[in-house]
Amino acid sequence: SDVYKRQSLNPSPEDKLTDEQLREIANEYNMQKMGYGNQPYIVFKHKDISREHLRMNTTVPCPYCGN
């Protein structure tokens, strides 16, 4: 099985979000909605397509670690 997961969040091009808003969205999506609890994660803001989007990497929850 994979030891990490990757997700991509793609806000609408019409949404003009600040870096702080993007951080809040990434935290809510990755940690709360995806159920990763307190797993470490990193978020990258990308502009490699016609709009800004986020790429997030996180470890897979460890059942032996209480996560």
Side-chain angles (χ1 to χ4, degrees), residues 10 14 16 25 28 37 48-49 51-52 55 61-63 67:
N10 297 283
E14 290 82 34
K16 302 299 182 202
I25 291 168
E28 179 181 340
D48 61 341
I49 59 175
R51 66 176 183 276
E52 289 184 349
R55 292 194 183 154
C62 173
N67 293 328

Side-chain angles (χ1 to χ4, degrees), residues 30-54:
N30 200 47
M31 296 295 102
Q32 309 305 320
K33 296 193 190 276
M34 295 301 292
Y36 290 123
N38 292 322
Q39 294 297 112
Y41 68 100
I42 189 165
V43 178
F44 299 93
K45 182 169 71 172
H46 276 259
K47 299 179 183 182
D48 61 341
I49 59 175
S50 62
R51 66 176 183 276
E52 289 184 349
H53 60 283
L54 301 177

Side-chain angles (χ1 to χ4, degrees), residues 7-30:
Q7 298 93 24
S8 179
L9 290 176
N10 297 283
S12 170
E14 290 82 34
D15 292 337
K16 302 299 182 202
L17 302 172
T18 66
D19 286 348
E20 182 58 33
Q21 289 171 312
L22 291 170
R23 272 191 289 276
E24 290 171 10
I25 291 168
N27 182 57
E28 179 181 340
Y29 178 83
N30 200 47

